[in-house]
PDB file of all heavy atoms in Angstrom:
ATOM      1  N   VAL X 839     -21.967  38.531  25.037  1.00 91.00           N
ATOM      2  CA  VAL X 839     -22.836  37.445  24.571  1.00 91.00           C
ATOM      3  C   VAL X 839     -22.863  37.452  23.043  1.00 91.00           C
ATOM      4  O   VAL X 839     -23.160  38.474  22.419  1.00 91.00           O
ATOM      5  CB  VAL X 839     -24.266  37.608  25.120  1.00 91.00           C
ATOM      6  CG1 VAL X 839     -25.180  36.523  24.564  1.00 91.00           C
ATOM      7  CG2 VAL X 839     -24.248  37.554  26.646  1.00 91.00           C
ATOM      8  N   ALA X 853     -24.834  28.175  28.662  1.00 98.00           N
ATOM      9  CA  ALA X 853     -24.517  26.796  29.032  1.00 98.00           C
ATOM     10  C   ALA X 853     -23.034  26.632  29.335  1.00 98.00           C
ATOM     11  O   ALA X 853     -22.648  25.798  30.160  1.00 98.00           O
ATOM     12  CB  ALA X 853     -24.925  25.832  27.923  1.00 98.00           C
ATOM     13  N   SER X 876     -21.500  25.914  32.841  1.00 97.00           N
ATOM     14  CA  SER X 876     -22.418  26.538  33.797  1.00 97.00           C
ATOM     15  C   SER X 876     -23.003  25.468  34.712  1.00 97.00           C
ATOM     16  O   SER X 876     -23.484  24.434  34.235  1.00 97.00           O
ATOM     17  CB  SER X 876     -23.553  27.242  33.059  1.00 97.00           C
ATOM     18  OG  SER X 876     -23.069  28.300  32.271  1.00 97.00           O
ATOM     19  N   GLU X 991     -26.188  12.500   8.813  1.00 98.00           N
ATOM     20  CA  GLU X 991     -26.733  11.169   9.110  1.00 98.00           C
ATOM     21  C   GLU X 991     -27.663  11.199  10.319  1.00 98.00           C
ATOM     22  O   GLU X 991     -28.656  10.458  10.364  1.00 98.00           O
ATOM     23  CB  GLU X 991     -25.581  10.189   9.357  1.00 98.00           C
ATOM     24  CG  GLU X 991     -24.742   9.898   8.113  1.00 98.00           C
ATOM     25  CD  GLU X 991     -23.490   9.099   8.424  1.00 98.00           C
ATOM     26  OE1 GLU X 991     -23.274   8.792   9.632  1.00 98.00           O
ATOM     27  OE2 GLU X 991     -22.734   8.785   7.495  1.00 98.00           O
ATOM     28  N   GLU X1039      -5.121  43.219  20.263  1.00 95.00           N
ATOM     29  CA  GLU X1039      -4.935  42.175  21.264  1.00 95.00           C
ATOM     30  C   GLU X1039      -4.914  40.767  20.692  1.00 95.00           C
ATOM     31  O   GLU X1039      -4.627  39.793  21.391  1.00 95.00           O
ATOM     32  CB  GLU X1039      -6.030  42.276  22.330  1.00 95.00           C
ATOM     33  CG  GLU X1039      -7.440  42.067  21.803  1.00 95.00           C
ATOM     34  CD  GLU X1039      -8.126  43.341  21.355  1.00 95.00           C
ATOM     35  OE1 GLU X1039      -7.401  44.286  20.950  1.00 95.00           O
ATOM     36  OE2 GLU X1039      -9.374  43.399  21.401  1.00 95.00           O
ATOM     37  N   ALA X1044       0.932  40.036  16.250  1.00 98.00           N
ATOM     38  CA  ALA X1044       2.385  39.858  16.349  1.00 98.00           C
ATOM     39  C   ALA X1044       2.956  39.320  15.045  1.00 98.00           C
ATOM     40  O   ALA X1044       4.067  39.690  14.642  1.00 98.00           O
ATOM     41  CB  ALA X1044       2.711  38.909  17.508  1.00 98.00           C
ATOM     42  N   GLU X1061     -12.713  39.938  -4.218  1.00 98.00           N
ATOM     43  CA  GLU X1061     -12.465  38.986  -5.303  1.00 98.00           C
ATOM     44  C   GLU X1061     -12.506  37.551  -4.794  1.00 98.00           C
ATOM     45  O   GLU X1061     -12.990  36.637  -5.484  1.00 98.00           O
ATOM     46  CB  GLU X1061     -11.122  39.302  -5.964  1.00 98.00           C
ATOM     47  CG  GLU X1061     -11.113  40.631  -6.709  1.00 98.00           C
ATOM     48  CD  GLU X1061      -9.731  41.041  -7.168  1.00 98.00           C
ATOM     49  OE1 GLU X1061      -8.737  40.413  -6.706  1.00 98.00           O
ATOM     50  OE2 GLU X1061      -9.624  41.995  -7.974  1.00 98.00           O
ATOM     51  N   PHE X1066     -15.609  32.484  -4.439  1.00 98.00           N
ATOM     52  CA  PHE X1066     -16.298  31.509  -3.584  1.00 98.00           C
ATOM     53  C   PHE X1066     -17.746  31.327  -4.022  1.00 98.00           C
ATOM     54  O   PHE X1066     -18.217  30.198  -4.213  1.00 98.00           O
ATOM     55  CB  PHE X1066     -16.230  31.986  -2.134  1.00 98.00           C
ATOM     56  CG  PHE X1066     -17.030  31.174  -1.169  1.00 98.00           C
ATOM     57  CD1 PHE X1066     -16.670  29.874  -0.843  1.00 98.00           C
ATOM     58  CD2 PHE X1066     -18.162  31.713  -0.560  1.00 98.00           C
ATOM     59  CE1 PHE X1066     -17.412  29.125   0.054  1.00 98.00           C
ATOM     60  CE2 PHE X1066     -18.908  30.979   0.341  1.00 98.00           C
ATOM     61  CZ  PHE X1066     -18.537  29.678   0.643  1.00 98.00           C
ATOM     62  N   GLY X1078     -24.060  37.633   4.656  1.00 97.00           N
ATOM     63  CA  GLY X1078     -22.832  38.409   4.740  1.00 97.00           C
ATOM     64  C   GLY X1078     -23.110  39.859   5.035  1.00 97.00           C
ATOM     65  O   GLY X1078     -22.506  40.742   4.418  1.00 97.00           O
ATOM     66  N   THR X1084     -17.262  44.733   4.374  1.00 97.00           N
ATOM     67  CA  THR X1084     -17.293  46.084   3.810  1.00 97.00           C
ATOM     68  C   THR X1084     -18.402  46.231   2.776  1.00 97.00           C
ATOM     69  O   THR X1084     -18.891  47.341   2.543  1.00 97.00           O
ATOM     70  CB  THR X1084     -15.944  46.426   3.154  1.00 97.00           C
ATOM     71  OG1 THR X1084     -15.647  45.456   2.140  1.00 97.00           O
ATOM     72  CG2 THR X1084     -14.822  46.428   4.186  1.00 97.00           C
TER      73      THR X1084
END
Side-chain angles (χ1 to χ4, degrees):
V839 177
S876 296
E991 293 171 359
E1039 62 270 28
E1061 293 171 348
F1066 173 69
T1084 58

